[in-house]
Amino acid sequence: MATHFWVAGQPGGNQAHELTLAGTFIQTVMEFDSPTWAWLVFRDGSPDKRYARYGEVERIDGAGAAGADEQRFFCAHFGGGECNRWYAWLRLGQYLIEVQVIGGMSEETASEMLSSAVTEISGAARRI
């Protein structure tokens, strides 16, 4: 069970907090009681399972986060057509990190934003 949530490395209480930047970027960091809880939620709470009811969510190759125990990347086709939302889903020990890039941008631009955010956020999570 999640015990702490952070946005940009700051404690946030007992509920998920999100940071939205220009309507295109959301990050959520969750701390669990143990790596085992994070491992379980990583499997059952991934974006492809949580958001499938809104449209097609497919797993894609993605640039990795150094030091992540597990990582998966997804592309969502909400409303049909091309990808319009990208996700990185990472587990670092007892932490889960979800990064979303939203909007009508090229896949290359979204991939660069996601990769940059994942690198920065996973580094911050390791320092907590």
Side-chain angles (χ1 to χ4, degrees):
M1 175 168 274
T3 57
H4 297 92
F5 297 88
W6 282 274
V7 172
Q10 298 300 313
N14 294 321
Q15 58 183 341
H17 289 269
E18 297 178 339
L19 173 67
T20 303
L21 179 62
T24 60
F25 179 82
I26 300 171
Q27 66 184 18
T28 305
V29 179
M30 296 165 272
E31 179 186 21
F32 291 82
D33 291 333
S34 71
T36 302
W37 276 111
W39 183 88
L40 290 167
V41 173
F42 185 83
R43 277 143 187 75
D44 290 337
S46 64
D48 60 328
K49 293 180 181 178
R50 284 185 287 133
Y51 302 121
R53 67 179 171 251
Y54 302 115
E56 180 186 356
V57 181
E58 64 180 288
R59 191 166 171 185
I60 58 173
D61 293 332
D69 296 309
E70 298 180 86
Q71 51 194 321
R72 295 184 184 155
F73 299 86
F74 303 92
C75 167
H77 305 267
F78 298 155
E82 296 183 13
C83 289
N84 50 24
R85 190 174 287 212
W86 294 264
Y87 298 91
W89 183 236
L90 312 170
R91 184 178 70 81
L92 291 95
Q94 68 192 55
Y95 298 95
L96 291 184
I97 300 170
E98 180 181 79
V99 179
Q100 299 179 45
V101 175
I102 304 165
M105 62 191 76
S106 74
E107 189 169 334
E108 182 179 322
T109 300
S111 179
E112 288 173 11
M113 283 183 72
L114 195 60
S115 179
S116 175
V118 163
T119 300
E120 185 175 329
I121 293 167
S122 62
R126 283 192 300 275
R127 291 189 298 270
I128 294 176

